[in-house]
Amino acid sequence: MKKLWYGGTIYTMEKEHETVEAVLVEGDNILATGSFDELSVKADELVDLKGAVMYPGFVDSHLHMLFQGEKLIRLDLTKAHSATEMLEMVSEAAKTAPSDSWLYGEGWNENNFADQRIPTIGELDAIRSEPILLTRVCHHVVLGNSAALAAGGITSDSQPPAGGEIGRDADGRLNGLLFDQAMNPVTEAVPKEGEAYIDSLTNTLNLAVDNMLSYGLTGGHTEEMNYFGDFRNPLTAFHRVVGKKKHFRVNILRHNAVFEKMIEANAEFDEPYVEPGAMKIFADGALGGSTAALSQPYADQPNNNGLFIQTDEELETLVKLARKHNEVVAVHMIGDAATEQVLRVIEKYPAPSGKRDRFIHCCILREDLVERMGNLPLVVDIQPAFVPSDFPWVIDRLGEERLSLAYPWKTLLDRGIMCAAGTDAPVEDIDPLVTIYAAVERKKPGAEHDGYIPEQKLSRFEAIQLYTIGSSQAINKEHERGYIKPGYVADFTIFDRDLFNGTTDEMLTAKALKTVVAGRVVFERGK
């Protein structure tokens, strides 16, 4: 059956301001674009947009969908404005938490606290004797009580692993904080096996997908094969939720710890709805926890340059493993030293012909690094919402002299470096309009200034393209996804207002009316 979409504003996103009057779809593909009179005679069904505005399907290029689903059901600490308020929220949640389960909280950020004080392990112990584990907004730091640390075998005599740190107070005692690789023993202590556990992952993923569809997202590039027990656990959940319903497109990055296991096990996917993605590697930590690897010390911590998750030799071994299987890598790198480390290896072992590596975040760069990046086949997964989240506190952490190429999205695009937009959800708000606003304004909504590092602002067209063709380029699908044009998939995001008209604050009020995947309406507001 051929359907004709018409009656609204339809942006192709191939050229700025380019629109078409109607789009003819058969099955999951676009057959033709053109005038209503020309195409209506070929259609079996007419779909009137009734003045709504259609774009190619928006895709979040970097997030963690199961963690996003968990955020929807766990204690939300993002609204805490002080250590005291955070403790009050945990205490209230503890009143109803089953005594035989862990109490989880998500999203605390001491940079939003007036005194920037982080609660202590003793304060958590006073609330509950059973395990409490509170994940920082960046997901590179956790705060646990004594029971949580003990479950992971963390004692006062424990030494930090490579690529991690164990927090201690001024007297050398455990303070409950674990950084990056030091978190693993605790997070792995939670039982993660059995059919009931897979059922819980399935329910969590259902929540995440439904949530994303309600914002107009038709897909996401996600990474979680190494955090929920055997990789078959989360992969089974994706088959049950996405593969079965075929109402979303997910590209699954494969963590380096399970990458070869998945290949050797001949792990099954369900393309084009559940697709295998690049090997995921972490090169460094995060700025919030002062673990991003910098070439010069942190301005507010002169003895700290952050940390590397991998040694040079380990990183080279991982890249060589990916190349052995003709695959690309997707590497988390926030500090300039981490980017430099990755570039040395990628330049030595370039991406397979016709494919692109993915540089994730790239928050702090230097001119020499940008130049080297421009010579390689790669896409940068950027998170514009990091700017209003990290500023102004990040200025003190970095110092003024490093700001010219901090979060330098405009510089990257102007140099011809492909970029895709993601939220790193649950780190940032999953709403794509929040990210687009951040890319254009580089400030919080309502803030009365011209934005942080305003020369790096993007146009609305550039910002929206990050979600359309940019996300397609990240997985080498730009020949079939990311535009509204013949031969491309019929994935559409339909809003109640034009994102190019009105103020950016007005743009934020837009609501997704319909989300269309493979020609089918998979979300409709009010139904």
Short mmCIF file of all heavy atoms in Angstrom, two decimals, residues 332-391:
data_model
loop_
_atom_site.label_atom_id
_atom_site.label_comp_id
_atom_site.label_asym_id
_atom_site.label_seq_id
_atom_site.Cartn_x
_atom_site.Cartn_y
_atom_site.Cartn_z
N HIS A 332 35.39 6.72 23.97
CA HIS A 332 35.07 7.81 24.90
C HIS A 332 36.36 8.56 25.20
O HIS A 332 37.33 7.98 25.68
CB HIS A 332 34.47 7.22 26.18
CG HIS A 332 34.45 8.16 27.34
ND1 HIS A 332 33.28 8.65 27.88
CD2 HIS A 332 35.44 8.69 28.11
CE1 HIS A 332 33.55 9.43 28.91
NE2 HIS A 332 34.87 9.48 29.06
N MET A 333 36.37 9.85 24.89
CA MET A 333 37.53 10.70 25.19
C MET A 333 37.02 12.10 25.49
O MET A 333 36.33 12.70 24.68
CB MET A 333 38.53 10.70 24.03
CG MET A 333 37.94 11.17 22.71
SD MET A 333 39.01 10.91 21.28
CE MET A 333 38.54 9.26 20.78
N ILE A 334 37.35 12.61 26.64
CA ILE A 334 36.90 13.95 27.03
C ILE A 334 38.07 14.93 27.08
O ILE A 334 37.99 16.04 26.59
CB ILE A 334 36.13 13.89 28.36
CG1 ILE A 334 34.76 13.26 28.11
CG2 ILE A 334 35.99 15.29 28.96
CD1 ILE A 334 33.84 13.23 29.30
N GLY A 335 39.18 14.52 27.66
CA GLY A 335 40.33 15.40 27.75
C GLY A 335 41.21 15.36 26.52
O GLY A 335 41.19 14.40 25.75
N ASP A 336 42.01 16.40 26.32
CA ASP A 336 42.87 16.47 25.14
C ASP A 336 43.95 15.40 25.16
O ASP A 336 44.34 14.89 24.10
CB ASP A 336 43.48 17.87 24.99
CG ASP A 336 44.35 18.28 26.16
OD1 ASP A 336 44.08 17.84 27.29
OD2 ASP A 336 45.30 19.07 25.94
N ALA A 337 44.43 15.02 26.35
CA ALA A 337 45.45 13.98 26.41
C ALA A 337 44.88 12.63 25.97
O ALA A 337 45.57 11.83 25.33
CB ALA A 337 46.02 13.88 27.82
N ALA A 338 43.61 12.38 26.28
CA ALA A 338 42.97 11.15 25.85
C ALA A 338 42.82 11.14 24.33
O ALA A 338 43.07 10.12 23.67
CB ALA A 338 41.62 11.00 26.53
N THR A 339 42.40 12.26 23.75
CA THR A 339 42.27 12.34 22.30
C THR A 339 43.61 12.12 21.63
O THR A 339 43.70 11.42 20.60
CB THR A 339 41.69 13.71 21.90
OG1 THR A 339 40.41 13.88 22.51
CG2 THR A 339 41.52 13.81 20.38
N GLU A 340 44.65 12.70 22.19
CA GLU A 340 45.99 12.51 21.62
C GLU A 340 46.40 11.05 21.68
O GLU A 340 46.98 10.51 20.72
CB GLU A 340 47.00 13.39 22.36
CG GLU A 340 48.39 13.36 21.76
CD GLU A 340 49.30 14.41 22.37
OE1 GLU A 340 48.98 14.93 23.46
OE2 GLU A 340 50.34 14.70 21.75
N GLN A 341 46.13 10.39 22.78
CA GLN A 341 46.46 8.97 22.91
C GLN A 341 45.75 8.14 21.84
O GLN A 341 46.36 7.29 21.18
CB GLN A 341 46.07 8.45 24.30
CG GLN A 341 46.42 6.98 24.51
CD GLN A 341 45.73 6.38 25.74
OE1 GLN A 341 44.56 6.66 25.98
NE2 GLN A 341 46.45 5.55 26.48
N VAL A 342 44.46 8.42 21.66
CA VAL A 342 43.68 7.65 20.68
C VAL A 342 44.16 7.95 19.26
O VAL A 342 44.30 7.03 18.44
CB VAL A 342 42.19 7.97 20.82
CG1 VAL A 342 41.38 7.28 19.73
CG2 VAL A 342 41.69 7.56 22.21
N LEU A 343 44.46 9.20 18.97
CA LEU A 343 44.93 9.55 17.63
C LEU A 343 46.21 8.80 17.27
O LEU A 343 46.37 8.35 16.12
CB LEU A 343 45.15 11.06 17.53
CG LEU A 343 43.91 11.91 17.27
CD1 LEU A 343 44.23 13.38 17.45
CD2 LEU A 343 43.34 11.65 15.88
N ARG A 344 47.11 8.68 18.21
CA ARG A 344 48.38 7.97 17.93
C ARG A 344 48.10 6.56 17.44
O ARG A 344 48.75 6.06 16.50
CB ARG A 344 49.26 7.93 19.18
CG ARG A 344 49.93 9.23 19.54
CD ARG A 344 51.09 9.00 20.51
NE ARG A 344 50.65 8.40 21.76
CZ ARG A 344 50.29 9.08 22.85
NH1 ARG A 344 50.31 10.41 22.82
NH2 ARG A 344 49.93 8.45 23.95
N VAL A 345 47.13 5.90 18.07
CA VAL A 345 46.83 4.52 17.70
C VAL A 345 46.03 4.45 16.40
O VAL A 345 46.32 3.62 15.52
CB VAL A 345 46.07 3.81 18.84
CG1 VAL A 345 45.70 2.39 18.44
CG2 VAL A 345 46.90 3.81 20.12
N ILE A 346 45.03 5.33 16.26
CA ILE A 346 44.19 5.31 15.06
C ILE A 346 45.00 5.64 13.81
O ILE A 346 44.77 5.09 12.73
CB ILE A 346 43.01 6.29 15.21
CG1 ILE A 346 42.11 5.87 16.38
CG2 ILE A 346 42.20 6.37 13.93
CD1 ILE A 346 41.50 4.51 16.25
N GLU A 347 45.93 6.57 13.94
CA GLU A 347 46.79 6.92 12.80
C GLU A 347 47.65 5.73 12.39
O GLU A 347 47.95 5.53 11.21
CB GLU A 347 47.66 8.12 13.16
CG GLU A 347 46.86 9.42 13.24
CD GLU A 347 47.64 10.55 13.90
OE1 GLU A 347 48.64 10.27 14.61
OE2 GLU A 347 47.24 11.71 13.73
N LYS A 348 48.01 4.90 13.35
CA LYS A 348 48.82 3.72 13.08
C LYS A 348 47.98 2.59 12.50
O LYS A 348 48.43 1.83 11.63
CB LYS A 348 49.50 3.26 14.38
CG LYS A 348 50.54 2.16 14.22
CD LYS A 348 51.23 1.90 15.55
CE LYS A 348 52.27 0.81 15.44
NZ LYS A 348 52.93 0.55 16.75
N TYR A 349 46.74 2.49 12.97
CA TYR A 349 45.83 1.43 12.51
C TYR A 349 44.51 2.09 12.08
O TYR A 349 43.54 2.12 12.84
CB TYR A 349 45.56 0.42 13.63
CG TYR A 349 46.82 -0.24 14.16
CD1 TYR A 349 47.42 0.21 15.33
CD2 TYR A 349 47.41 -1.30 13.47
CE1 TYR A 349 48.57 -0.39 15.82
CE2 TYR A 349 48.57 -1.90 13.94
CZ TYR A 349 49.14 -1.44 15.11
OH TYR A 349 50.30 -2.03 15.59
N PRO A 350 44.45 2.65 10.88
CA PRO A 350 43.26 3.40 10.44
C PRO A 350 42.04 2.50 10.26
O PRO A 350 42.15 1.28 10.18
CB PRO A 350 43.70 4.01 9.10
CG PRO A 350 44.81 3.14 8.63
CD PRO A 350 45.52 2.66 9.86
N ALA A 351 40.88 3.13 10.19
CA ALA A 351 39.62 2.42 10.03
C ALA A 351 39.60 1.62 8.73
O ALA A 351 40.23 2.01 7.74
CB ALA A 351 38.46 3.41 10.05
N PRO A 352 38.87 0.51 8.72
CA PRO A 352 38.74 -0.27 7.47
C PRO A 352 38.17 0.60 6.35
O PRO A 352 37.42 1.55 6.60
CB PRO A 352 37.77 -1.39 7.86
CG PRO A 352 37.89 -1.51 9.35
CD PRO A 352 38.16 -0.12 9.84
N SER A 353 38.50 0.28 5.15
CA SER A 353 38.06 1.06 4.00
C SER A 353 36.54 1.18 3.97
O SER A 353 35.81 0.20 4.13
CB SER A 353 38.54 0.38 2.71
OG SER A 353 38.08 1.07 1.57
N GLY A 354 36.07 2.43 3.77
CA GLY A 354 34.64 2.68 3.68
C GLY A 354 33.94 2.82 5.01
O GLY A 354 32.72 3.02 5.05
N LYS A 355 34.68 2.73 6.11
CA LYS A 355 34.07 2.86 7.44
C LYS A 355 34.69 4.04 8.20
O LYS A 355 35.73 4.56 7.80
CB LYS A 355 34.25 1.56 8.24
CG LYS A 355 33.52 0.37 7.65
CD LYS A 355 33.57 -0.84 8.57
CE LYS A 355 32.77 -2.00 8.02
NZ LYS A 355 32.75 -3.16 8.95
N ARG A 356 34.06 4.42 9.31
CA ARG A 356 34.53 5.55 10.12
C ARG A 356 34.59 5.17 11.59
O ARG A 356 33.65 4.56 12.12
CB ARG A 356 33.60 6.76 9.98
CG ARG A 356 33.36 7.23 8.56
CD ARG A 356 32.47 8.46 8.54
NE ARG A 356 32.12 8.82 7.17
CZ ARG A 356 30.98 8.49 6.59
NH1 ARG A 356 30.05 7.85 7.28
NH2 ARG A 356 30.75 8.84 5.34
N ASP A 357 35.68 5.55 12.24
CA ASP A 357 35.74 5.44 13.68
C ASP A 357 34.90 6.54 14.32
O ASP A 357 34.56 7.54 13.67
CB ASP A 357 37.19 5.55 14.18
CG ASP A 357 38.04 4.34 13.81
OD1 ASP A 357 37.56 3.21 14.00
OD2 ASP A 357 39.17 4.53 13.33
N ARG A 358 34.57 6.34 15.59
CA ARG A 358 33.74 7.32 16.30
C ARG A 358 34.51 7.84 17.51
O ARG A 358 34.94 7.07 18.37
CB ARG A 358 32.43 6.68 16.75
CG ARG A 358 31.63 6.10 15.62
CD ARG A 358 30.39 5.37 16.08
NE ARG A 358 29.42 6.29 16.69
CZ ARG A 358 28.13 6.00 16.82
NH1 ARG A 358 27.67 4.83 16.41
NH2 ARG A 358 27.31 6.85 17.36
N PHE A 359 34.69 9.16 17.54
CA PHE A 359 35.29 9.82 18.69
C PHE A 359 34.15 10.40 19.52
O PHE A 359 33.39 11.24 19.03
CB PHE A 359 36.24 10.95 18.24
CG PHE A 359 37.59 10.48 17.78
CD1 PHE A 359 37.78 9.19 17.31
CD2 PHE A 359 38.68 11.35 17.80
CE1 PHE A 359 39.03 8.76 16.87
CE2 PHE A 359 39.93 10.93 17.36
CZ PHE A 359 40.11 9.64 16.90
N ILE A 360 34.01 9.93 20.75
CA ILE A 360 32.86 10.30 21.57
C ILE A 360 33.24 11.38 22.57
O ILE A 360 34.19 11.22 23.34
CB ILE A 360 32.30 9.06 22.29
CG1 ILE A 360 31.89 8.00 21.27
CG2 ILE A 360 31.12 9.43 23.18
CD1 ILE A 360 31.49 6.66 21.88
N HIS A 361 32.54 12.47 22.54
CA HIS A 361 32.64 13.63 23.44
C HIS A 361 33.64 14.69 22.93
O HIS A 361 33.24 15.76 22.53
CB HIS A 361 32.98 13.24 24.88
CG HIS A 361 32.06 12.22 25.47
ND1 HIS A 361 30.69 12.32 25.37
CD2 HIS A 361 32.31 11.08 26.17
CE1 HIS A 361 30.14 11.29 25.98
NE2 HIS A 361 31.09 10.51 26.46
N CYS A 362 34.95 14.42 23.01
CA CYS A 362 35.96 15.39 22.55
C CYS A 362 35.69 16.79 23.10
O CYS A 362 35.65 17.77 22.35
CB CYS A 362 36.00 15.43 21.03
SG CYS A 362 36.65 13.92 20.27
N CYS A 363 35.54 16.89 24.40
CA CYS A 363 35.18 18.18 25.01
C CYS A 363 36.33 19.17 25.03
O CYS A 363 36.10 20.38 24.88
CB CYS A 363 34.68 17.95 26.44
SG CYS A 363 33.14 17.02 26.52
N ILE A 364 37.54 18.70 25.22
CA ILE A 364 38.70 19.58 25.30
C ILE A 364 39.68 19.18 24.21
O ILE A 364 40.25 18.09 24.23
CB ILE A 364 39.39 19.50 26.68
CG1 ILE A 364 38.36 19.61 27.81
CG2 ILE A 364 40.46 20.59 26.80
CD1 ILE A 364 37.54 20.89 27.80
N LEU A 365 39.88 20.08 23.25
CA LEU A 365 40.78 19.79 22.14
C LEU A 365 41.86 20.86 22.03
O LEU A 365 41.85 21.85 22.75
CB LEU A 365 40.00 19.69 20.83
CG LEU A 365 39.02 18.51 20.71
CD1 LEU A 365 38.20 18.61 19.43
CD2 LEU A 365 39.77 17.18 20.75
N ARG A 366 42.79 20.64 21.12
CA ARG A 366 43.83 21.62 20.77
C ARG A 366 43.86 21.72 19.25
O ARG A 366 43.42 20.81 18.55
CB ARG A 366 45.20 21.18 21.30
CG ARG A 366 45.27 20.87 22.78
CD ARG A 366 46.73 20.66 23.22
NE ARG A 366 47.46 19.72 22.40
CZ ARG A 366 47.68 18.44 22.71
NH1 ARG A 366 47.17 17.93 23.82
NH2 ARG A 366 48.39 17.65 21.91
N GLU A 367 44.44 22.78 18.76
CA GLU A 367 44.48 23.00 17.32
C GLU A 367 45.18 21.85 16.60
O GLU A 367 44.71 21.39 15.54
CB GLU A 367 45.18 24.32 17.01
CG GLU A 367 45.38 24.60 15.52
CD GLU A 367 44.08 24.64 14.74
OE1 GLU A 367 43.07 25.14 15.28
OE2 GLU A 367 44.05 24.15 13.58
N ASP A 368 46.28 21.35 17.15
CA ASP A 368 47.00 20.26 16.48
C ASP A 368 46.16 18.98 16.43
O ASP A 368 46.24 18.21 15.46
CB ASP A 368 48.33 20.00 17.17
CG ASP A 368 48.18 19.57 18.63
OD1 ASP A 368 47.55 20.32 19.41
OD2 ASP A 368 48.68 18.48 18.99
N LEU A 369 45.32 18.77 17.45
CA LEU A 369 44.48 17.58 17.46
C LEU A 369 43.36 17.69 16.44
O LEU A 369 43.05 16.71 15.74
CB LEU A 369 43.89 17.37 18.86
CG LEU A 369 44.90 17.21 20.01
CD1 LEU A 369 44.17 17.04 21.34
CD2 LEU A 369 45.83 16.02 19.75
N VAL A 370 42.76 18.87 16.32
CA VAL A 370 41.70 19.07 15.33
C VAL A 370 42.24 18.84 13.93
O VAL A 370 41.59 18.21 13.08
CB VAL A 370 41.10 20.48 15.46
CG1 VAL A 370 40.10 20.75 14.34
CG2 VAL A 370 40.43 20.66 16.82
N GLU A 371 43.44 19.33 13.68
CA GLU A 371 44.05 19.16 12.36
C GLU A 371 44.26 17.68 12.05
O GLU A 371 43.97 17.22 10.93
CB GLU A 371 45.39 19.90 12.30
CG GLU A 371 46.03 19.86 10.93
CD GLU A 371 47.28 20.72 10.85
OE1 GLU A 371 47.48 21.58 11.74
OE2 GLU A 371 48.07 20.54 9.91
N ARG A 372 44.73 16.92 13.02
CA ARG A 372 44.95 15.49 12.81
C ARG A 372 43.63 14.74 12.63
O ARG A 372 43.53 13.83 11.81
CB ARG A 372 45.75 14.91 13.97
CG ARG A 372 47.19 15.40 14.01
CD ARG A 372 47.85 15.14 15.36
NE ARG A 372 48.05 13.72 15.63
CZ ARG A 372 48.58 13.25 16.77
NH1 ARG A 372 48.94 14.11 17.73
NH2 ARG A 372 48.73 11.95 16.95
N MET A 373 42.61 15.15 13.38
CA MET A 373 41.29 14.52 13.25
C MET A 373 40.73 14.71 11.85
O MET A 373 40.08 13.82 11.30
CB MET A 373 40.34 15.09 14.30
CG MET A 373 40.67 14.66 15.73
SD MET A 373 39.82 15.65 16.99
CE MET A 373 38.11 15.27 16.64
N GLY A 374 40.99 15.90 11.28
CA GLY A 374 40.48 16.20 9.94
C GLY A 374 41.07 15.35 8.85
O GLY A 374 40.53 15.30 7.74
N ASN A 375 42.16 14.66 9.15
CA ASN A 375 42.81 13.82 8.15
C ASN A 375 42.37 12.36 8.22
O ASN A 375 42.88 11.53 7.47
CB ASN A 375 44.34 13.88 8.34
CG ASN A 375 44.90 15.26 8.04
OD1 ASN A 375 44.40 15.96 7.16
ND2 ASN A 375 45.93 15.66 8.77
N LEU A 376 41.43 12.07 9.12
CA LEU A 376 41.02 10.69 9.34
C LEU A 376 39.54 10.49 9.01
O LEU A 376 38.73 11.42 9.14
CB LEU A 376 41.27 10.29 10.80
CG LEU A 376 42.72 10.21 11.25
CD1 LEU A 376 42.79 10.07 12.77
CD2 LEU A 376 43.45 9.05 10.58
N PRO A 377 39.16 9.28 8.62
CA PRO A 377 37.73 8.98 8.44
C PRO A 377 37.09 8.73 9.80
O PRO A 377 37.20 7.64 10.37
CB PRO A 377 37.75 7.71 7.57
CG PRO A 377 39.04 7.04 7.93
CD PRO A 377 40.02 8.14 8.23
N LEU A 378 36.44 9.73 10.34
CA LEU A 378 35.83 9.58 11.66
C LEU A 378 34.63 10.50 11.80
O LEU A 378 34.44 11.44 11.03
CB LEU A 378 36.85 9.87 12.76
CG LEU A 378 37.54 11.24 12.83
CD1 LEU A 378 36.68 12.27 13.56
CD2 LEU A 378 38.88 11.13 13.53
N VAL A 379 33.81 10.20 12.78
CA VAL A 379 32.67 11.02 13.17
C VAL A 379 32.84 11.33 14.65
O VAL A 379 33.26 10.46 15.43
CB VAL A 379 31.34 10.29 12.93
CG1 VAL A 379 30.17 11.09 13.51
CG2 VAL A 379 31.12 10.04 11.46
N VAL A 380 32.54 12.56 15.04
CA VAL A 380 32.60 12.92 16.45
C VAL A 380 31.18 12.93 17.02
O VAL A 380 30.31 13.64 16.52
CB VAL A 380 33.25 14.31 16.65
CG1 VAL A 380 33.33 14.64 18.15
CG2 VAL A 380 34.65 14.33 16.04
N ASP A 381 30.96 12.08 18.02
CA ASP A 381 29.68 12.08 18.74
C ASP A 381 29.74 13.19 19.79
O ASP A 381 30.44 13.05 20.80
CB ASP A 381 29.47 10.74 19.46
CG ASP A 381 29.05 9.64 18.52
OD1 ASP A 381 28.53 9.94 17.45
OD2 ASP A 381 29.24 8.46 18.87
N ILE A 382 29.01 14.27 19.57
CA ILE A 382 29.07 15.39 20.50
C ILE A 382 27.80 15.44 21.35
O ILE A 382 26.74 14.95 20.95
CB ILE A 382 29.28 16.73 19.78
CG1 ILE A 382 28.08 17.07 18.89
CG2 ILE A 382 30.56 16.70 18.96
CD1 ILE A 382 28.15 18.45 18.26
N GLN A 383 27.91 16.05 22.51
CA GLN A 383 26.80 16.21 23.44
C GLN A 383 26.66 17.70 23.79
O GLN A 383 27.18 18.16 24.80
CB GLN A 383 27.02 15.38 24.71
CG GLN A 383 26.93 13.87 24.50
CD GLN A 383 28.05 13.32 23.64
OE1 GLN A 383 29.21 13.63 23.85
NE2 GLN A 383 27.70 12.49 22.66
N PRO A 384 25.98 18.46 22.94
CA PRO A 384 25.86 19.90 23.18
C PRO A 384 25.30 20.26 24.55
O PRO A 384 25.64 21.31 25.11
CB PRO A 384 24.94 20.36 22.05
CG PRO A 384 25.21 19.40 20.94
CD PRO A 384 25.39 18.08 21.64
N ALA A 385 24.46 19.40 25.12
CA ALA A 385 23.88 19.70 26.43
C ALA A 385 24.92 19.70 27.54
O ALA A 385 24.64 20.18 28.66
CB ALA A 385 22.75 18.72 26.75
N PHE A 386 26.11 19.18 27.28
CA PHE A 386 27.18 19.27 28.27
C PHE A 386 27.53 20.74 28.59
O PHE A 386 27.96 21.04 29.70
CB PHE A 386 28.45 18.58 27.76
CG PHE A 386 28.46 17.08 27.88
CD1 PHE A 386 27.34 16.38 28.33
CD2 PHE A 386 29.59 16.36 27.52
CE1 PHE A 386 27.36 14.99 28.43
CE2 PHE A 386 29.62 14.97 27.62
CZ PHE A 386 28.51 14.29 28.07
N VAL A 387 27.38 21.62 27.60
CA VAL A 387 27.80 23.02 27.81
C VAL A 387 26.99 23.68 28.92
O VAL A 387 27.57 24.16 29.90
CB VAL A 387 27.73 23.82 26.50
CG1 VAL A 387 28.01 25.30 26.76
CG2 VAL A 387 28.75 23.27 25.49
N PRO A 388 25.65 23.75 28.84
CA PRO A 388 24.92 24.37 29.95
C PRO A 388 25.02 23.58 31.25
O PRO A 388 24.84 24.15 32.33
CB PRO A 388 23.48 24.43 29.44
CG PRO A 388 23.40 23.45 28.33
CD PRO A 388 24.76 23.42 27.71
N SER A 389 25.32 22.29 31.18
CA SER A 389 25.48 21.49 32.40
C SER A 389 26.82 21.76 33.08
O SER A 389 26.91 21.81 34.31
CB SER A 389 25.37 20.00 32.09
OG SER A 389 24.05 19.64 31.77
N ASP A 390 27.88 21.92 32.28
CA ASP A 390 29.24 22.02 32.84
C ASP A 390 29.67 23.44 33.16
O ASP A 390 30.56 23.63 34.00
CB ASP A 390 30.24 21.40 31.86
CG ASP A 390 30.06 19.89 31.72
OD1 ASP A 390 29.17 19.33 32.40
OD2 ASP A 390 30.80 19.27 30.93
N PHE A 391 29.09 24.41 32.49
CA PHE A 391 29.45 25.80 32.77
C PHE A 391 28.52 26.35 33.83
O PHE A 391 27.34 26.00 33.89
CB PHE A 391 29.36 26.65 31.49
CG PHE A 391 30.51 26.45 30.54
CD1 PHE A 391 30.53 25.39 29.64
CD2 PHE A 391 31.60 27.32 30.57
CE1 PHE A 391 31.59 25.21 28.78
CE2 PHE A 391 32.67 27.14 29.69
CZ PHE A 391 32.67 26.08 28.80
#
